């Protein structure tokens, strides 16, 4: 995402839109972009520096560390903020800062049930095991009763 200084009026500029996923070159088995980056930013120039703040979101597909299944997750950066000294080029590229923020907000150990909209199969399996165990505990108790 590039902004030319001349595009920014003194009262500031609001920019909202989409652009290509900034972490495409990092795609692997564990992470894949499944949509475009959405940005909603306020920009301004003050005291020889450019500032920007707002929010970012990037939908990705991750692999769950528990069940190894792929799931979609939206990386959200609710308080993106940058401050850059202005010297030299009049075109400012926000992509490196955006990429860095997206990566910082990437879950290190992604779990497919983190958003609460699905149940992780690995956990489901555990629950079933526990239920089975509980049942056998009861049947052991029943046998005990019969012996008396
Ligand atoms: Zn899972």
């Amino acid at each position: 995402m590039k902004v030319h200084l001349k595009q920014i009026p003194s009262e500031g500029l609001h920019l909202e839109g989409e652009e290509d996923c900034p972490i495409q070159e990092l795609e692997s088995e564990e992470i894949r972009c499944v949509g475009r980056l959405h940005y909603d930013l306020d920009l301004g120039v003050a005291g020889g520096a450019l500032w920007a703040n707002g929010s970012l979101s990037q939908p990705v597909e991750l692999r769950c560390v528990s069940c190894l299944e792929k799931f979609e997750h939206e990386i959200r950066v609710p308080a993106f903020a940058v401050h850059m000294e202005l010297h030299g080029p009049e075109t400012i590229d926000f992509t490196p800062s955006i990429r860095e923020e997206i990566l910082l907000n990437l879950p290190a150990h992604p779990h497919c049930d983190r958003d609460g909209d699905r149940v992780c199969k690995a956990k489901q399996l555990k629950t079933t095991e526990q239920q089975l165990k509980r049942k056998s505990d009861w049947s052991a108790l029943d046998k005990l009763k019969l012996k008396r």
Side-chain angles (χ1 to χ4, degrees), residues 3-74:
V3 180
H4 195 277
L5 281 184
K6 283 186 187 141
Q7 282 180 292
I8 308 174
S10 52
E11 68 269 22
L13 178 71
H14 183 77
L15 276 181
E16 194 178 342
E18 289 187 337
E19 65 168 36
D20 288 342
C21 179
I23 53 169
Q24 270 168 353
E25 69 271 25
L26 298 163
E27 285 191 323
S28 66
E29 267 291 288
E30 317 299 324
I31 176 164
R32 197 167 66 84
C33 300
V34 288
R36 307 186 80 204
L37 171 87
H38 182 86
Y39 57 84
D40 189 339
L41 299 173
D42 283 308
L43 309 173
V45 179
L50 175 78
W51 56 265
N53 58 50
S55 61
L56 309 169
S57 65
Q58 172 64 57
V60 289
E61 187 183 69
L62 301 173
R63 188 150 75 167
C64 174
V65 290
S66 290
C67 65
L68 304 180
E69 278 197 22
K70 296 193 168 163
F71 68 101
E72 280 191 26
H73 170 67
E74 193 173 64

Side-chain angles (χ1 to χ4, degrees), residues 21 41 59 72 83 95 97 103-104 115 121 123 138 140:
C21 179
L41 299 173
E72 280 191 26
H83 190 268
T95 311
S97 316
L103 290 176
L104 281 175
D115 295 328
K121 278 190 182 158
K123 271 191 196 156
W138 280 112

